[in-house]
Amino acid sequence: MAAYRLPHDGTRECDAADLALTVLGGGESSRLHNRLVRRDRTAVAAGFGLLRLAGAPSLGWLDVKTSGGVEVAQIEAAVDEELARFAEEGPTPEEMERAQAQLEREWLDRLGTVAGRADELCRFAVLFGDPQLALTAVHRVLDVTAAEVRTAAKAQLRPDNRAVLVYEPVEPAEPAEGADDGAADDTDAHEGADK
């Protein structure tokens, strides 16, 4: 897992970063999924999402689950390579269209229920002082250009702008000899009592 420091929610730069993360890791057609899961087969899953924060930097949240026997350094090198390439090239028109459609669909899903609309209206009222912004938020994302997305990626999605957390599996500890016997009897007694 890696967390990238991104612009505050409510800014055009945050919307551009959201589109960058969606192109890079928003689903099975994303660049990181195609590279790590399909092409290199070094991961079983790869995703990138945005935790929007107002009044503080937002977080770009990268989550990669490695394939067995793959070194984390290999994954990090591939991620850094893809992010650098994206920062240099920017998104293609097809990627922009797909990412904007995905974010628009997510926005519509949030507004699709009474509870979802209430949550969005409250969020914009509390964070930005205007609940009506909830109804127009998607238009900001649809107005962002590919050049702005490229600029956001180049400025923010760098190795020196992230914190990385690696979870590695460990072998389970061997139970002490004789410790199992009492636990098994105890379980059987509880199961019988429940029936």
Side-chain angles (χ1 to χ4, degrees), residues 109-123:
D109 285 347
R110 286 192 302 274
L111 296 179
T113 65
V114 172
R117 278 192 300 279
D119 285 346
E120 287 297 292
L121 290 168
C122 286
R123 182 171 93 81

Side-chain angles (χ1 to χ4, degrees), residues 78-102:
V79 167
D80 289 344
E81 185 180 309
E82 285 301 312
L83 296 184
R85 188 165 63 89
F86 185 75
E88 194 60 38
E89 300 171 356
T92 65
E94 294 80 16
E95 288 174 326
M96 276 296 288
E97 184 178 345
R98 188 169 50 242
Q100 287 174 321
Q102 183 174 335

Side-chain angles (χ1 to χ4, degrees), residues 16-103:
D18 198 359
L19 283 163
L21 300 185
T22 303
V23 170
L24 287 163
E28 293 184 4
S29 62
S30 67
R31 287 189 182 203
L32 289 173
H33 185 87
N34 283 330
R35 167 75 187 266
L36 300 172
V37 177
R38 289 188 179 150
R39 191 184 99 187
D40 296 353
R41 297 179 189 249
T42 54
V44 294
F48 222 156
L50 178 64
L51 174 60
R52 289 177 174 266
L53 298 173
S58 297
L59 293 176
W61 191 256
L62 174 67
D63 184 15
V64 178
K65 291 171 182 56
T66 63
S67 297
V70 174
E71 294 294 321
V72 172
Q74 185 180 354
I75 295 283
E76 279 191 40
V79 167
D80 289 344
E81 185 180 309
E82 285 301 312
L83 296 184
R85 188 165 63 89
F86 185 75
E88 194 60 38
E89 300 171 356
T92 65
E94 294 80 16
E95 288 174 326
M96 276 296 288
E97 184 178 345
R98 188 169 50 242
Q100 287 174 321
Q102 183 174 335
L103 292 177

Side-chain angles (χ1 to χ4, degrees), residues 92-178:
T92 65
E94 294 80 16
E95 288 174 326
M96 276 296 288
E97 184 178 345
R98 188 169 50 242
Q100 287 174 321
Q102 183 174 335
L103 292 177
E104 183 177 23
R105 186 176 57 251
E106 290 170 5
W107 175 75
L108 289 170
D109 285 347
R110 286 192 302 274
L111 296 179
T113 65
V114 172
R117 278 192 300 279
D119 285 346
E120 287 297 292
L121 290 168
C122 286
R123 182 171 93 81
F124 281 92
V126 169
L127 298 178
F128 303 107
D130 185 359
Q132 291 299 313
L133 291 175
L135 306 177
T136 60
V138 74
H139 301 299
R140 290 194 332 262
V141 172
L142 298 178
D143 286 341
V144 172
T145 66
E148 289 173 299
V149 172
R150 182 179 161 273
T151 299
K154 193 170 198 160
Q156 307 293 329
L157 301 179
R158 305 179 325 266
D160 65 340
N161 189 42
R162 73 174 175 214
V164 175
L165 180 61
V166 176
Y167 286 98
E168 294 183 352
V170 295
E171 293 293 322
E174 294 277 333
E177 202 169 304

